[in-house]
Amino acid sequence: QSVLTQPPSASGTPGQRVTISCSRSVSNIGTDYVYWYQQLPGTAPKLLIYRINQRPSGVPDRFSGSKSGTSASLAISGLRSEDEADYYCAAWDDSLSGWVFGGGTKLTVL
Amino acid sequence: QVQLVQSGAEVKKPGASVKVSCKASGYTFTSYGINWVRQAPGQGLEWMGRISATNGNTNYGQKVQGRVTMTTDTSTNTAYMELRSLRSDDTAVYYCARDGAPYTSAWPPEDWGQGTLVTVSS
């Protein structure tokens, strides 16, 4: 069981806005800096959001991140069929001196 | 451009060892750390550990601590991950992934290899 909890699934129709949450269960995980990855089927993960709400170059502004208390969220607006993928949150674990990932959320575009 | 090219798929018997390589190009190898992340079939991502290519320092995840060794060869810009005493639940795709920023472990992996499938089966 991951220390970062995500819903296992989410769905939406084209054009809709979908949000995926990520909540921490232990205090040593910093949600001050939360990162989001997108993993398309059969491919390596791709960094989508860093430091809560920053996008690497090339990531559309349809993707945004936010934080509230001990939870972080990824929002995808103007949903497209190509957004159908698995999404993972990640954070640095001070006690582990390493990275922890959420369990992942499978996004289905209906 | 940054490229991480991993070695090919492996099939191993329980109790054996596997060594996966990750050849880097397109950047100064010794300025970044290399993380290893694995993904069991149909499952999520699991961080296994990280090695600094600057000084060879390592941090390993709790689940593989004691069975894993990560090394680098700066003469060939290649990172290696060796996992010993393999079990069936080690069956996974293993990814190498470069830190997103130089000289720090506090930036998440940003550039990833293509993945190496390791199958453990008798």
Side-chain angles (χ1 to χ4, degrees), chain A residues 35 37 39 42-47 50-51 56 86 88 90 92 95-104, chain B residues 35 37 39 43-48 50 59-62 95 99 105-110 112-115:
Chain A
Y35 305 83
Y37 288 88
Q39 187 177 32
T43 69
K46 169 189 170 184
L47 186 64
Y50 64 95
R51 299 214 162 170
D86 294 322
Y88 295 90
W92 181 257
S95 63
L96 180 66
S97 291
W99 294 97
V100 290
F101 292 95
Chain B
N35 298 267
V37 177
Q39 186 171 35
Q43 302 301 308
L45 304 171
E46 178 191 356
W47 182 82
M48 298 177 66
R50 174 189 180 271
N59 288 96
Y60 298 137
Q62 292 172 348
Y95 293 100
D99 288 341
S105 59
W107 202 269
E110 193 162 351
W112 296 63
Q114 83 275 20

Side-chain angles (χ1 to χ4, degrees), chain A residues 4 6 8 23 41 51-52 55 59-60 94 97:
Chain A
L4 295 175
Q6 299 180 234
S23 62
R51 299 214 162 170
I52 302 175
R55 289 184 304 276
V59 174
D94 288 330
S97 291

Side-chain angles (χ1 to χ4, degrees), chain A residues 14-106:
Chain A
Q16 266 191 333
R17 183 176 187 270
V18 170
T19 61
I20 297 170
S21 62
C22 172
S23 62
R24 67 173 177 172
S25 60
V26 293
S27 60
N28 56 298
I29 302 297
T31 51
D32 286 344
Y33 288 149
V34 173
Y35 305 83
W36 289 93
Y37 288 88
Q38 177 193 58
Q39 187 177 32
L40 297 170
T43 69
K46 169 189 170 184
L47 186 64
L48 204 61
I49 297 287
Y50 64 95
R51 299 214 162 170
I52 302 175
N53 59 9
Q54 305 299 303
R55 289 184 304 276
S57 60
V59 174
D61 59 7
R62 300 187 298 106
F63 295 90
S64 62
S66 63
K67 173 200 161 189
S68 177
T70 59
S71 291
S73 294
L74 171 71
I76 309 171
S77 59
L79 199 61
R80 298 183 178 183
S81 58
E82 58 260 38
D83 298 332
E84 190 159 284
D86 294 322
Y87 293 83
Y88 295 90
C89 60
W92 181 257
D93 183 330
D94 288 330
S95 63
L96 180 66
S97 291
W99 294 97
V100 290
F101 292 95
T105 298
K106 182 175 184 62

Side-chain angles (χ1 to χ4, degrees), chain B residues 63-104:
Chain B
K63 196 171 176 186
V64 295
Q65 178 87 41
R67 294 197 297 133
V68 69
T69 301
M70 296 176 187
T71 57
T72 58
D73 181 344
T74 56
S75 69
T76 60
N77 291 351
T78 303
Y80 298 91
M81 186 283 300
E82 181 179 31
L83 189 61
R84 302 176 293 277
S85 302
L86 289 168
R87 310 185 291 244
S88 58
D89 63 353
D90 291 318
T91 294
V93 174
Y94 289 75
Y95 293 100
C96 62
R98 191 192 76 157
D99 288 341
Y103 304 116
T104 179

